Amino acid sequence: MSSGNSVSGGLESSEERRHKKLGPLASLFSGSLFARRVKDSHPKEQKDPGWKLFGKVPPREGHIKDPKKIQKEYETKSGRAGPDNPTSPRQSARKNLDFEPLSTTALILEDRPANLPAKPAEEAQKHRQQYEEMVAQAKKRELYNICLARAKEKWKSIAAPASDSEPDDAGSSDRESSLELIKLDISRTFPQLCIFQQGGPYHDVLHSILGAYTCYRPDVGYVQGMSFIAAVLILNLDTADTFIAFTNLLNKPCQMAFFRVDHSLMLTYFAAFEVFFEENLPKLFAHFQKNNLSPDIYLIDWIFTLYSKSLPLDLACRVWDVFCRDGEEFLFRTALGLLRLYQDVLTCMDFIHMAQFLTRLPDLIPADQLFQHIAAIHMSSRNRKWSQVCTT
Amino acid sequence: MQNNHHKERLYKILVIGDLGVGKTSIIKRYVHHNFSPNYRATIGVDFALKVLNWDQETVRLQLWDIAGQERFGNMTRVYYREAMGAFIVFDVTRPASFEAVTKWKEDLDSKLTLANGKNVATVLLANKCDQGRDVLTNNGIKMEQFCLENGFVGWYETSAKENINIDEAANCLVKHIIANENDMLQSEVLDTISPQLEKDKGGTCSSCFRSQ
């Protein structure tokens, strides 16, 4: 794609650039990896496809359209692969792609005026593709913009406390006040980075993403821990992509169980974790049992924030990389790797010191050693894999 | 009990209250004697240990700093188990956090009682008092009355930032916890014949045993 002057060339290179920028998050963003994995291991989870954002499942799309595939088809059909066949100047292609209309309704494909000569087939196809790309871009932002607009409405009504009469009935009140809680948590998200706090460059972005999510999924609302996940995504993606990645990530079975605080499901995860804990680290497991140190005490923080709060950020991102590849199992494997790494220290501690240690891990964790210990964890118990243990 | 002169007491203390009222800050001030405006949100539960010298005894306070979001309630309530005392914290600049105090107290009392059926000693902390006293003055609430009605053993205007009243509040709680414990031991000794205790005491009366 060096000279990629055609539209398709421009597309491909921008796509590639984005992939480079996203790194392993790209798969998370597109959702395709997760969609497939989820399908494999939990066929039943798929019954609610309406929530999947831009993944492979939305029913409206009909058949799956991978932009790259479309492009390949187009290239072979039109017989001009990007690099060899420069047609339109790159600049204009770029310009078109940068145009992101706020709503799909703004994109009306008007008929060509009758007094103009017919477009060559190739050009017509090219324009159609440009149009589709624009629609896709707009669609991507559309849902986010709608949700954000709703959130802003709610913020306004909170800011004007004229009608303080809203009944605070138990149960719903927690979810209702989500927007209020977000405000309190934002400045407490990675405070050491000084970018999410009031006045910081990403304060409003984090605020918007979380606010939009509570309007997108009012049934889930804002739950502590989300701010850390959104913050990590913001550090890696642009806003619209962050929203999509965030919603898809929270839609994964394990994350849904935790963020909905589905107690019995969480206990299932903890129990499965303990099976592998005992299998891999029997001595430490016995020590924990003796001291009544149950996994919820340290796992809740680790799983809710995907280690972004408990591990140094660079290490957390490495964990995310493999989590994107291996799925939820890796979160629990990481926990066991951490316990294995600190096994000797922990065995000498009593309950309170262990609890303190695990809820506040050392600032300096030897990364390579940690990953060696994670690698040394066997994720099979009596020939059963994680997913099998989890479902029994 | 083997060594009467260096008896150690270990108490589990809960620190609860709405999100962002300053629970973690209070604990950090109390245990580590410092303050930072940049604490991270607590997810689940955090821990701290404070060791006190109390009448020639060592008192260890196991502080359970429990996440404030109501949603975590079902999960974090298991952490109430075996606690001997609690701080319920609210933020004087946020009336809603004060309104939640009775909810927290009722929740605590419904989930946790001492062996003698009494509620655990609970102290109310009106935190961030360095930032104004809106809640306390505007509502015309008589705090002493409020504490009596809701079963708090005391209340303090605190500031983790300015180090106001944190030690005082903790001492008040410890005092009540010890009193409760002594109460329970006394009634135990009075009400039941316990051969084990008899053996240990070596014939002294129950009050002598208490004072050891």
Side-chain angles (χ1 to χ4, degrees):
Chain A
M1 280 314 136
S2 50
S3 68
N5 279 344
S6 68
V7 175
S8 56
L11 263 178
E12 172 101 346
S13 62
S14 79
E15 176 82 0
E16 269 177 359
R17 254 183 289 116
R18 212 192 53 186
H19 266 262
K20 227 172 269 167
K21 195 179 123 202
L22 306 188
L25 285 172
S27 61
L28 181 61
F29 164 68
S30 73
S32 57
L33 174 69
F34 292 142
R36 217 175 300 130
R37 288 193 63 85
V38 167
K39 223 176 227 165
D40 287 347
S41 50
H42 301 269
K44 275 179 213 153
E45 298 294 339
Q46 219 49 39
K47 62 181 174 237
D48 189 14
W51 291 115
K52 191 90 200 166
L53 267 190
F54 309 105
K56 288 206 164 186
V57 268
R60 271 186 66 204
E61 297 289 323
H63 33 258
I64 306 130
K65 280 192 177 174
D66 182 331
K68 279 203 164 170
K69 215 184 211 169
I70 295 171
Q71 190 188 312
K72 279 240 173 72
E73 278 172 16
Y74 164 63
E75 277 171 9
T76 46
K77 254 191 233 163
S78 63
R80 51 152 134 163
D84 314 320
N85 225 333
T87 43
S88 61
R90 189 189 190 137
Q91 284 304 317
S92 72
R94 184 70 55 71
K95 218 184 211 168
N96 275 329
L97 287 169
D98 284 346
F99 169 65
E100 284 172 2
L102 285 173
S103 159
T104 44
T105 52
L107 292 163
I108 299 163
L109 197 58
E110 282 182 45
D111 285 340
R112 192 171 172 81
N115 57 342
L116 290 178
K119 268 193 227 176
E122 276 181 13
E123 202 179 335
Q125 180 111 29
K126 186 182 86 187
H127 288 160
R128 194 167 305 123
Q129 206 196 337
Q130 283 177 337
Y131 168 79
E132 276 168 11
E133 181 67 21
M134 276 153 60
V135 172
Q137 284 289 326
K139 268 190 182 162
K140 205 165 84 175
R141 292 193 152 269
E142 197 165 26
L143 185 65
Y144 171 63
N145 286 332
I146 291 169
C147 294
L148 182 59
R150 267 188 227 158
K152 283 183 173 161
E153 279 298 307
K154 283 198 178 177
W155 277 320
K156 250 186 244 163
S157 67
I158 290 171
S163 58
D164 213 20
S165 55
E166 269 178 62
D168 238 31
D169 29 323
S172 70
S173 66
D174 186 32
R175 261 148 241 218
E176 303 248 308
S177 57
S178 275
L179 292 174
E180 197 58 28
L181 302 184
I182 290 170
K183 278 186 198 162
L184 290 167
D185 262 3
I186 285 181
S187 56
R188 304 196 293 163
T189 307
F190 297 120
Q192 74 281 11
L193 296 181
C194 299
I195 54 174
F196 296 109
Q197 285 159 303
Q198 191 92 47
Y202 289 102
H203 174 273
D204 293 347
V205 180
L206 183 54
H207 197 219
S208 299
I209 294 283
L210 295 172
Y213 182 78
T214 62
C215 291
Y216 172 62
R217 290 298 299 263
D219 58 322
V220 181
Y222 172 74
V223 183
Q224 288 197 299
M226 284 184 183
S227 67
F228 286 89
I229 293 179
V232 172
L233 292 171
I234 287 169
L235 291 172
N236 288 282
L237 302 168
D238 72 34
T239 308
D241 288 346
T242 294
F243 183 67
I244 295 164
F246 184 65
T247 47
N248 281 339
L249 175 55
L250 295 195
N251 207 29
K252 288 161 62 60
C254 175
Q255 273 59 46
M256 254 306 129
F258 275 73
F259 281 107
R260 292 189 120 148
V261 198
D262 183 331
H263 208 186
S264 66
L265 251 179
M266 286 170 70
L267 290 176
T268 310
Y269 278 107
F270 294 149
F273 170 80
E274 285 195 296
V275 168
F276 290 97
F277 186 0
E278 187 170 18
E279 189 103 355
N280 281 276
L281 307 162
K283 258 177 69 183
L284 190 64
F285 180 76
H287 182 62
F288 274 40
Q289 291 244 303
K290 202 181 81 196
N291 284 280
N292 278 322
L293 185 64
S294 51
D296 53 311
I297 282 176
Y298 48 94
L299 278 187
I300 284 175
D301 178 279
W302 294 355
I303 304 296
F304 265 94
T305 63
L306 302 176
Y307 296 94
S308 57
K309 186 183 156 223
S310 35
L311 291 181
L313 199 52
D314 56 330
L315 253 182
C317 287
R318 282 184 65 176
V319 171
W320 280 45
D321 285 351
V322 194
F323 163 62
C324 288
R325 190 194 67 189
D326 291 359
E328 65 183 40
E329 167 183 330
F330 189 72
L331 297 176
F332 296 94
R333 193 174 180 180
T334 301
L336 292 170
L338 277 163
L339 295 178
R340 197 175 189 273
L341 172 64
Y342 292 114
Q343 182 167 211
D344 295 340
V345 199
L346 289 165
T347 357
C348 303
M349 291 179 174
D350 61 357
F351 169 85
I352 187 73
H353 289 99
M354 284 194 286
Q356 268 184 291
F357 185 90
L358 293 172
T359 50
R360 204 193 157 84
L361 292 169
D363 291 329
L364 287 172
I365 295 174
D368 292 337
Q369 273 189 51
L370 172 60
F371 278 90
Q372 280 163 20
H373 281 279
I374 294 172
I377 297 295
H378 301 289
M379 289 308 271
S380 73
S381 165
R382 281 183 237 128
N383 263 336
R384 291 181 310 159
K385 290 180 174 156
W386 169 261
S387 55
Q388 292 166 308
V389 173
C390 244
T391 48
T392 47
Chain B
M1 245 165 264
Q2 293 94 328
N3 193 337
N4 293 329
H5 297 290
H6 295 284
K7 194 171 156 189
E8 259 199 28
R9 296 174 185 261
L10 172 69
Y11 301 125
K12 171 174 170 179
I13 293 176
L14 306 172
V15 184
I16 52 180
D18 267 8
L19 179 154
V21 295
K23 299 180 289 295
T24 305
S25 295
I26 288 172
I27 291 172
K28 286 278 151 72
R29 169 62 77 187
Y30 184 50
V31 177
H32 303 291
H33 312 288
N34 58 26
F35 174 82
S36 151
N38 291 335
Y39 291 124
R40 299 173 301 177
T42 304
I43 317 286
V45 57
D46 277 345
F47 298 89
L49 181 66
K50 172 85 176 179
V51 183
L52 287 175
N53 289 315
W54 193 276
D55 290 344
Q56 292 160 344
E57 286 178 4
T58 304
V59 172
R60 287 171 182 274
L61 305 180
Q62 217 179 65
L63 297 158
W64 290 52
D65 177 6
I66 294 175
Q69 188 169 9
E70 200 184 320
R71 190 87 61 86
F72 289 119
N74 288 332
M75 225 165 49
T76 50
R77 259 154 227 162
V78 296
Y79 300 144
Y80 289 2
R81 208 175 42 216
E82 287 170 12
M84 287 293 285
F87 289 114
I88 294 182
V89 188
F90 72 96
D91 173 351
V92 292
T93 65
R94 269 168 49 216
S97 72
F98 177 70
E99 283 155 29
V101 163
T102 42
K103 237 192 291 180
W104 282 105
K105 183 70 166 73
E106 281 164 17
D107 185 51
L108 180 69
D109 290 343
S110 68
K111 304 286 182 323
L112 179 68
T113 43
L114 296 172
N116 60 4
K118 279 169 77 175
N119 293 327
V120 297
T122 309
V123 170
L124 181 61
L125 303 183
N127 195 37
K128 307 194 189 180
C129 72
D130 58 289
Q131 292 183 28
R133 321 175 61 237
D134 288 4
V135 173
L136 299 173
T137 48
N138 286 1
N139 295 359
I141 299 162
K142 296 216 168 52
M143 288 302 283
E144 278 76 17
Q145 187 66 24
F146 179 84
C147 285
L148 262 168
E149 281 168 8
N150 291 281
F152 289 97
V153 298
W155 77 282
Y156 289 85
E157 283 181 73
T158 58
S159 165
K161 191 178 173 189
E162 304 294 335
N163 193 17
I164 299 169
N165 275 340
I166 309 272
D167 286 322
E168 288 80 353
N171 288 341
C172 169
L173 183 62
V174 171
K175 194 179 75 190
H176 280 91
I177 289 174
I178 291 179
N180 271 346
E181 195 181 44
N182 289 347
D183 252 22
M184 281 192 291
L185 279 172
Q186 207 140 27
S187 57
E188 220 172 82
V189 172
L190 289 174
D191 295 347
T192 61
I193 299 158
S194 165
Q196 228 181 340
L197 276 176
E198 294 294 330
K199 212 194 290 166
D200 276 350
K201 290 193 299 179
T204 51
C205 74
S206 60
S207 61
C208 295
F209 166 65
R210 289 282 348 111
S211 63
Q212 274 168 7

